[in-house]
Amino acid sequence: MIPSDIAITPDLIAAHGLKPDEYDRIVELIGREPSFTELGIFSAMWNEHCSYKSSKKWLKTLPTKGPRVLQGPGENAGVVDIGDGQTVVFKMESHNHPSYIEPYQGAATGVGGILRDVFTMGARPVAAMNALRFGEPDHPRTKHLVSGVVAGVGGYGNSFGVPTVGGEVEFDAAYNGNCLVNAFAAGLADADKIFLSEAKGVDLPVVYLGAKTGRDGVGGATMASAEFDETIEEKRPTVQVGDPFTEKCLLEACLELMASGAVIAIQDMGAAGLTCSAVEMGAKGDLGIELDLDLVPVREERMSAYEMMLSESQERMLMVLAPEKQNEAQTIFKKWGLDFAIVGKTTDTLRFIVKHQGDVVADLPIKELGDEAPEYDRPWVEPVPEAALAAADVPAPEDYATALTALVGSANGSSRRWVYEQYDTLVQGNSLATPGGDAGVIRVIGSDGEVTSKGLAFAVDVTPHYCKADPVQGGRQAVAECWRNLTAVGAEPLAAADNLNFGNPEKPEIMGQLVACIRGIGEACTALEMPIVSGNVSLYNETFGEGILPTPAIGGVGLLPDVEVRVGAGFVNEGDVVALVGGEGTHLGQSAYLRDVLGRIEGSAPDVDLAREKKTGDMVRGLIRSGALTACHDLSSGGLAIALAEMAMSGDKGAEIAMPDSDVAIHARLFGEDQARYLVIFTADSAKTVEAKAQETGISLVRLGTVGGADLTVNGILSISVANLRKAHENWFPDYMG
């Protein structure tokens, strides 16, 4: 019998994020009242952040398999075959709650955690992205959050030495009380050298690796599973503190240790720290785990068992070790200046036993802790899509040049250079396309260290207002736009990670958004053959009952067989032909034009015809790979007008455009956000080839004009110098941040 060292009261249970019926279930499972440490362990394992208890039912509906998928969800990261015995290993995770409380460390440790997820699998990280969302620019807290989060992302990633190749930054009042920080990382590993977290073998040493344990981050996962209120400042101690230089040493030590054959299983100490890593390793392997906390390296005095089990101190790993390799393993970690301590062993008891100062402070059934966490089928209501908005009900701008300038110079339409220039985009020397285009691209280095001809492309996308207006179409569109961005550089989309950010799932309308978005994501991933191989769910993103916009970010990875055969999103040659693929714009509901020019947020999301997306994208990718195109850009926020402006600014060249006759209003054609569309640019010599291919596949391709001059001109509608467009585009962020 374990003594109940602290009285377990209803208030204490509630403070641990456990409902009364969940506590009753704990008592029933273990046949007694839990100790304080055991209560903490259950709260860590059964909270939303670790157990996915509200979303698990729906996540099971997503497509997770494919011919290239070697490891889907359930491990630290997904693994996808890229040929020649190599894999790309990647994951995306949120660090929203910590980043709102303490922006620098919240964002920094988000980057650190996602990098560990990748190298825990045996992969060397080669690329990072991030998707950031903040409140409206004039909100008193927004500038502070932007400054701290961007500095934290850069401070950790730059010091660790991984290039940031893409991402997105958006502002909206819905995030005033709850910013979003979603971090993505990818690495390369040999297909026959992937390391998993499933413990194997009885009476084997369980080894603690990395940095010492402190009191930072105690209860962080439980904090991330609750709404914010007036007690937010009291939550500051739950935010972890990161050290990228220690993490870099941990990476090198782990990869060296893996190469030695010493590692049987390995798990990052992320959310819920020592608790989660030990329980997951044991439960997956149908084994018990015994820990002696007196052996855990600590950096603070008189730490309690509760604090040690729930600490989320960074740069730590837990490993099951081949006993005969113990001395070799210890030597490797000593060389890198890191802690190496045998803190326990595997057992055949299926019990999770924790000892501290001679006492057993926890004795729990390990499978029930991990696999048997509550799983809810929460009440939900089918979202009703917003009513359609006819183009005739949306006024045209008084001056098209002024409207276009406003869009490229708005908070959400302006250049993100101020952000990404704080990140190292070129470290490792393999970056070929850095932030600012459709997708980031890196060259693949072979397992023997030789340069290969292959490349990997990365993109992250979601349009939250679409997801609010129609969650099914919004979920589809997030996948489709990510797929288009990979396609637009010439890459074959392989697979994706999802990062599902929503409000309180106990509200049926919020749960309905989650269910419908997942449905749309699943439909799109199936149709576009881009399975979900890893991801993260972040719920309870609410402050004083106000939830964020539904924001299911999709991070996609694509493969370029020949990395030299790719295109960018900027005009290249004077005289090149500009053509629109996929039809004209008609849809202004939830558009950037409606929001940033007219100040209205209304209407339905655009329909996403997945068969059309696939057919159109496959044709465009084929044209790129045949060498027929000089540039390509997908159409998304802001429609045709923004795509033309972005290509002009990127290539520092103008264009003369003549809009063909049409019954559709010109402002809908210029600013409509209809899907499955691209701008393709080609030389006059390639025109016959390109047009014949479009005709053969039955896809609309319409010549709009030619590249040339210093102005972007749409005949009879607008003419504006590329220099003035760029001035508006580049100045918003630096002016805002001051």
Side-chain angles (χ1 to χ4, degrees), residues 283-315:
K284 281 181 184 174
D286 289 325
L287 294 169
I289 298 278
E290 204 169 287
L291 296 179
D292 184 346
L293 298 184
D294 297 345
L295 305 175
V296 170
V298 293
R299 64 167 185 261
E300 299 185 49
E301 293 181 0
R302 294 186 298 280
M303 285 190 73
S304 67
Y306 177 96
E307 290 171 324
M308 291 163 77
M309 291 307 295
L310 269 67
S311 166
E312 293 183 14
S313 294
Q314 297 292 285
E315 294 86 43

Side-chain angles (χ1 to χ4, degrees), residues 383-582:
V384 178
E386 296 279 338
L389 184 66
D393 296 329
V394 179
E398 292 180 13
D399 184 280
Y400 279 88
T402 301
L404 181 56
T405 306
L407 279 169
V408 301
S410 69
N412 284 321
S414 60
S415 167
R416 272 47 187 142
R417 190 182 305 276
W418 183 90
V419 175
Y420 64 71
E421 284 191 343
Q422 296 187 51
Y423 306 149
D424 194 332
T425 59
L426 300 173
V427 66
Q428 299 187 10
N430 297 312
S431 302
L432 299 174
T434 50
D438 283 312
V441 179
I442 65 163
R443 185 185 296 280
V444 172
I445 300 300
S447 51
D448 55 3
E450 292 295 307
V451 172
T452 75
S453 63
K454 291 185 300 194
L456 288 171
F458 304 94
V460 57
D461 291 286
V462 63
T463 308
H465 280 291
Y466 292 174
C467 296
K468 178 82 182 296
D470 185 337
V472 173
Q473 294 296 346
R476 285 178 162 199
Q477 194 275 339
V479 176
E481 188 178 344
C482 183
W483 191 88
R484 282 200 305 273
N485 279 325
L486 298 171
T487 293
V489 299
E492 172 203 350
L494 298 180
D498 59 1
N499 204 150
L500 309 177
N501 308 274
F502 290 82
N504 185 343
E506 295 169 48
K507 296 178 179 177
E509 66 277 13
I510 301 294
M511 195 63 212
Q513 290 176 349
L514 176 65
V515 171
C517 277
I518 289 175
R519 189 189 313 150
I521 289 167
E523 290 168 355
C525 288
T526 298
L528 300 175
E529 297 170 11
M530 190 164 80
I532 299 289
V533 298
S534 58
N536 171 248
V537 181
S538 174
L539 303 179
Y540 296 97
N541 289 289
E542 297 205 1
T543 298
F544 296 115
E546 287 294 312
I548 60 163
L549 291 169
T551 312
I554 302 293
V557 178
L559 179 65
L560 291 144
D562 184 347
V563 79
E564 301 304 330
V565 182
R566 70 181 198 282
V567 293
F571 293 147
V572 178
N573 310 306
E574 299 269 333
D576 275 1
V577 178
V578 180
L580 173 63
V581 170

Side-chain angles (χ1 to χ4, degrees), residues 4-54:
S4 189
D5 36 6
I6 291 177
I8 308 298
T9 64
D11 285 349
L12 190 65
I13 293 163
H16 281 76
L18 292 164
K19 307 284 189 206
D21 60 323
E22 290 175 335
Y23 179 74
D24 291 344
R25 187 171 171 188
I26 290 168
V27 172
E28 187 183 334
L29 271 174
I30 65 176
R32 56 177 168 78
E33 188 175 74
S35 69
F36 182 52
T37 301
E38 288 175 328
L39 182 71
I41 289 169
F42 269 105
S43 86
M45 293 303 300
W46 284 19
N47 65 55
E48 194 71 60
H49 193 74
C50 292
S51 73
Y52 296 140
K53 59 190 175 187
S54 298

Side-chain angles (χ1 to χ4, degrees), residues 210-480:
K212 288 178 166 55
T213 294
R215 289 189 170 94
D216 56 315
V218 171
T222 302
M223 174 273 291
S225 303
E227 294 182 26
F228 284 152
D229 53 28
E230 64 280 346
T231 65
I232 186 168
E233 283 304 315
E234 297 169 17
K235 296 181 167 75
R236 191 171 297 277
T238 63
V239 178
Q240 311 91 332
V241 178
D243 177 359
F245 301 105
T246 298
E247 178 126 334
K248 175 66 172 169
C249 293
L250 184 61
L251 161 72
E252 300 300 343
C254 282
L255 293 183
E256 189 174 336
L257 189 64
M258 288 163 170
S260 75
V263 179
I264 291 171
I266 188 163
Q267 175 71 37
D268 158 43
M269 284 195 225
L274 192 52
T275 290
C276 210
S277 54
V279 171
E280 284 185 5
M281 288 174 80
K284 281 181 184 174
D286 289 325
L287 294 169
I289 298 278
E290 204 169 287
L291 296 179
D292 184 346
L293 298 184
D294 297 345
L295 305 175
V296 170
V298 293
R299 64 167 185 261
E300 299 185 49
E301 293 181 0
R302 294 186 298 280
M303 285 190 73
S304 67
Y306 177 96
E307 290 171 324
M308 291 163 77
M309 291 307 295
L310 269 67
S311 166
E312 293 183 14
S313 294
Q314 297 292 285
E315 294 86 43
R316 301 180 302 156
M317 299 279 195
L318 202 64
M319 177 184 76
V320 176
L321 175 74
E324 68 278 9
K325 299 274 188 177
Q326 180 181 324
N327 291 341
E328 185 180 350
Q330 193 155 3
T331 302
I332 290 169
F333 270 74
K334 189 174 180 182
K335 178 182 78 175
W336 287 102
L338 297 166
D339 277 295
F340 176 100
I342 294 174
V343 295
K345 64 180 180 180
T346 60
T347 70
D348 60 2
T349 64
L350 287 176
R351 303 294 295 179
F352 183 48
I353 295 174
V354 182
K355 298 175 180 175
H356 185 231
Q357 295 177 352
D359 292 325
V360 174
V361 293
D363 184 351
L364 300 168
I366 201 163
K367 296 290 280 187
E368 284 79 354
L369 259 177
D371 305 348
E372 308 273 330
E375 184 175 328
Y376 294 123
D377 184 2
R378 294 201 184 277
W380 59 281
V381 293
E382 185 71 43
V384 178
E386 296 279 338
L389 184 66
D393 296 329
V394 179
E398 292 180 13
D399 184 280
Y400 279 88
T402 301
L404 181 56
T405 306
L407 279 169
V408 301
S410 69
N412 284 321
S414 60
S415 167
R416 272 47 187 142
R417 190 182 305 276
W418 183 90
V419 175
Y420 64 71
E421 284 191 343
Q422 296 187 51
Y423 306 149
D424 194 332
T425 59
L426 300 173
V427 66
Q428 299 187 10
N430 297 312
S431 302
L432 299 174
T434 50
D438 283 312
V441 179
I442 65 163
R443 185 185 296 280
V444 172
I445 300 300
S447 51
D448 55 3
E450 292 295 307
V451 172
T452 75
S453 63
K454 291 185 300 194
L456 288 171
F458 304 94
V460 57
D461 291 286
V462 63
T463 308
H465 280 291
Y466 292 174
C467 296
K468 178 82 182 296
D470 185 337
V472 173
Q473 294 296 346
R476 285 178 162 199
Q477 194 275 339
V479 176

Side-chain angles (χ1 to χ4, degrees), residues 59-139:
L59 296 175
K60 290 173 185 172
T61 67
L62 289 170
T64 58
K65 293 182 167 62
R68 289 183 178 270
V69 177
L70 301 182
Q71 176 65 55
E75 271 296 334
N76 285 295
V79 183
V80 177
D81 186 358
I82 60 169
D84 304 311
Q86 280 188 292
T87 67
V88 59
V89 178
F90 62 94
K91 175 113 179 260
M92 193 172 179
E93 274 211 340
S94 59
H95 232 223
N96 305 334
H97 289 67
S99 298
Y100 190 78
I101 299 168
E102 215 308 304
Y104 185 95
Q105 290 297 351
T109 52
V111 173
I114 202 67
L115 290 168
R116 281 197 306 283
D117 279 337
V118 166
F119 71 76
T120 304
M121 302 288 292
R124 181 174 290 279
V126 293
M129 296 191 290
N130 54 81
L132 313 177
R133 285 181 167 80
F134 302 102
E136 55 197 336
D138 56 2
H139 187 273

